[in-house]
Amino acid sequence: MYMSKLKNDEVDGLFRAILSLKDEEECYRFFEDLCTIHELQSLAQRLAVARQLDSGMTYASIAESTGASTATISRVSRCLGYGADGYKRVLERLKEEENQA
């Protein structure tokens, strides 16, 4: 079982709350209340960067298409290569969903 360095009761509660969301509308409502617009846009940008890195795009083209800094792209790249495999799992599931559509 994976043990995160972030694990504590508050984070557990946050993740249980996220897992309780039923659909995209509930996600929008919850995250709009939980995060600032900038925080949410930053999270979405990181996922877009991960998708583009996974598809083999260059840092320059990713920076141009997402507006992400090279520091952000580098951080996401490190997570893809050496992180907890969170991005990899999500990207695999998103690809599966897209292939089924």
Side-chain angles (χ1 to χ4, degrees):
M1 181 174 167
Y2 176 75
M3 288 301 294
S4 172
K5 294 174 259 181
L6 302 173
K7 186 162 180 52
N8 65 39
D9 290 342
E10 289 178 348
V11 174
D12 288 350
L14 172 63
F15 291 161
R16 279 193 304 277
I18 292 168
L19 290 169
S20 78
L21 299 170
K22 305 265 190 273
D23 55 30
E24 195 171 289
E25 181 184 340
E26 286 190 3
C27 286
Y28 269 98
R29 289 174 180 271
F30 179 69
F31 281 96
E32 205 168 305
D33 286 347
L34 180 67
C35 300
T36 66
I37 291 170
H38 181 73
E39 289 168 336
L40 195 51
Q41 289 171 335
S42 292
L43 293 171
Q45 182 186 62
R46 289 179 193 158
L47 181 57
V49 167
R51 284 183 134 176
Q52 292 180 20
L53 283 167
D54 188 57
S55 72
M57 290 178 67
T58 65
Y59 277 35
S61 60
I62 294 169
E64 185 177 326
S65 70
T66 65
S69 68
T70 54
T72 295
I73 298 167
S74 179
R75 182 182 186 287
V76 172
S77 180
R78 277 193 309 276
C79 289
L80 281 169
Y82 306 104
D85 290 338
Y87 280 124
K88 288 181 183 180
R89 287 179 186 214
V90 166
L91 293 174
E92 287 172 7
R93 289 177 186 157
L94 292 173
K95 283 180 195 175
E96 288 173 11
E97 283 181 13
E98 289 167 3
N99 289 337
Q100 292 174 359

